[in-house]
Amino acid sequence: MTIAVSPQSLPALVLNADYRPLSYYPLSLWSWQDAIKAVFLDRVNIIAEYDHCVSSPSFSMRVPSVVCLKTYVQPSRNPAFTRFNVFLRDRFECQYCGSHDDLTFDHVIPRAHGGETTWENVVAACSPCNLRKGSKLPKQAGMFPAQKPYQPTVQDLHNNGRLFPPNYLHDSWLDYLYWDSELQP
């Protein structure tokens, strides 16, 4: 799954005060307008700029490509239990067949058998597998998830988010994104 980013829209990568992105998936990006507004409100430092300039009758500046918050934003310790975060934990693939299409979620122990809607009992599943399993227990259906469901940490979700970079990464962002690239000696 890829997040579409248009290079023509000149988005700014937003870093926390510790120079790490606020989020990897979706990547923490602001529109150029929001980035400039934050500069004028003295909420960010400009780290890198595009070659493109914006002007008013009395002012001209280059559009920021990377900004860093002046105040540290404490990341959440426990990620919210949302459908999106379940998909991200499971890397956007059905835990029964590996498909990336038509995802929904499945209760490993069905609610009809007392299963709860928790991190430890919900997995990403494609609609065909979800329908095939129905309200059967895994052993009855002969369907077992590829990985046991668990409550992820924020770090787990960040690590998985790095596997799904946007379709566009500006060169000025690469030093702040720890994608799987070799470091220069």
Side-chain angles (χ1 to χ4, degrees), residues 1-3 21-28 84-92 150 152-167 169 177-180:
M1 172 162 270
T2 302
I3 296 289
L22 290 174
S23 168
Y24 284 96
Y25 194 85
L27 190 58
S28 52
F84 179 85
N85 283 344
V86 169
F87 292 166
L88 184 56
R89 177 199 66 190
D90 294 345
R91 297 179 177 170
F92 296 94
Y150 66 97
T153 63
V154 171
Q155 188 63 39
D156 292 334
L157 296 183
H158 278 236
N159 289 341
N160 284 356
R162 290 179 184 149
L163 301 173
F164 304 97
N167 63 327
L169 296 173
L177 302 175
Y178 300 105
W179 308 113
D180 296 324

Side-chain angles (χ1 to χ4, degrees), residues 124-144:
C126 66
S127 288
C129 284
N130 199 359
L131 287 171
R132 193 169 76 243
K133 182 173 172 284
S135 62
K136 298 178 198 138
L137 292 169
K139 192 169 186 172
Q140 291 171 323
M143 297 173 68
F144 300 92

Side-chain angles (χ1 to χ4, degrees), residues 81-99 102-110 116-127 129-130 133-134 138 143-152:
F81 179 59
T82 65
R83 180 181 300 256
F84 179 85
N85 283 344
V86 169
F87 292 166
L88 184 56
R89 177 199 66 190
D90 294 345
R91 297 179 177 170
F92 296 94
E93 67 182 29
C94 174
Q95 292 300 292
Y96 299 113
C97 73
S99 172
D102 199 16
L103 288 181
T104 182
F105 66 85
D106 177 61
H107 291 81
V108 177
I109 307 298
E116 298 180 358
T117 306
T118 63
W119 281 113
E120 294 79 11
N121 191 46
V122 171
V123 295
C126 66
S127 288
C129 284
N130 199 359
K133 182 173 172 284
M143 297 173 68
F144 300 92
Q147 76 175 0
K148 184 178 177 188
Y150 66 97
Q151 180 170 354

Side-chain angles (χ1 to χ4, degrees), residues 65-79:
S65 65
V66 180
V67 294
C68 181
L69 299 177
K70 288 187 173 186
T71 305
Y72 183 75
V73 174
Q74 184 69 37
S76 173
R77 293 196 184 275
N78 297 313

Side-chain angles (χ1 to χ4, degrees), residues 16 28 30 34 43 46 56 62 69 87 95 101 106 111-112 115 138 154 159 166 171 174:
N16 208 339
S28 52
W30 284 350
D34 287 340
R43 293 183 181 152
I46 298 172
S56 73
R62 289 173 59 183
L69 299 177
F87 292 166
Q95 292 300 292
D101 300 323
D106 177 61
R111 290 188 294 175
V154 171
N159 289 341
D171 289 342
L174 298 180

